[in-house]
Amino acid sequence: QVQLVESGGGLVQPGESLGLSCVVSGFFLNNVPMGWYRQVPGKERELVASIGTRNILTNYANSVKGRFTVSRDNAKNMIYLRMSNLKPDDTAMYYCNRGGWGFTPFDDWGQGTQVTVSS
């Protein structure tokens, strides 16, 4: 059974930084491209960052390019998202899941971690 557990969210001021973590289990992470998604109430979940299996290829949504950095540690079953220069529009619930390069998310989602950017 796929399990995804996100953590690290919180309340920050505009311009500050925050790091998110996701621990995964139930599948072999080495073979799966992964992504970070975010969702705000009333809107569809969007993929904001994705990383290939070997921690080399990455893709970012235009809205976060240059500010967010995704990484992974396959040995630890971990996915990370480093967010800098945060903006109020980054406020959302953040989730990790399979994604990028045409890969669809697993049916199972974690509980997510809330990021709120406000002064």
Side-chain angles (χ1 to χ4, degrees):
Q1 180 183 0
V2 170
Q3 289 192 322
L4 307 155
V5 181
E6 303 90 351
S7 63
L11 172 63
V12 296
Q13 295 188 348
E16 292 186 339
S17 298
L18 200 60
L20 306 183
S21 299
C22 173
V23 57
V24 309
S25 61
F27 63 98
F28 191 47
L29 181 61
N30 295 47
N31 293 343
V32 179
M34 293 293 292
W36 282 95
Y37 299 76
R38 68 185 182 187
Q39 188 172 27
V40 297
K43 292 189 176 182
E44 290 190 0
R45 195 170 290 169
E46 64 167 333
L47 178 65
V48 296
S50 51
I51 184 165
T53 57
R54 297 187 178 185
N55 209 16
I56 298 174
L57 295 176
T58 56
N59 275 325
Y60 299 93
N62 287 335
S63 57
V64 307
K65 197 171 295 184
R67 301 186 298 117
F68 287 15
T69 303
V70 59
S71 61
R72 63 195 290 161
D73 187 333
N74 290 339
K76 296 182 178 179
N77 286 327
M78 295 291 296
I79 308 293
Y80 305 99
L81 186 68
R82 182 65 181 173
M83 305 180 293
S84 61
N85 191 21
L86 282 160
K87 304 176 180 181
D89 284 349
D90 296 318
T91 295
M93 187 72 78
Y94 284 73
Y95 304 85
C96 71
N97 208 316
R98 182 175 62 186
W101 297 277
F103 284 82
T104 57
F106 294 117
D107 291 339
D108 297 307
W109 291 84
Q111 82 288 349
T113 187
Q114 176 68 39
V115 173
T116 303
V117 185
S118 175
S119 55

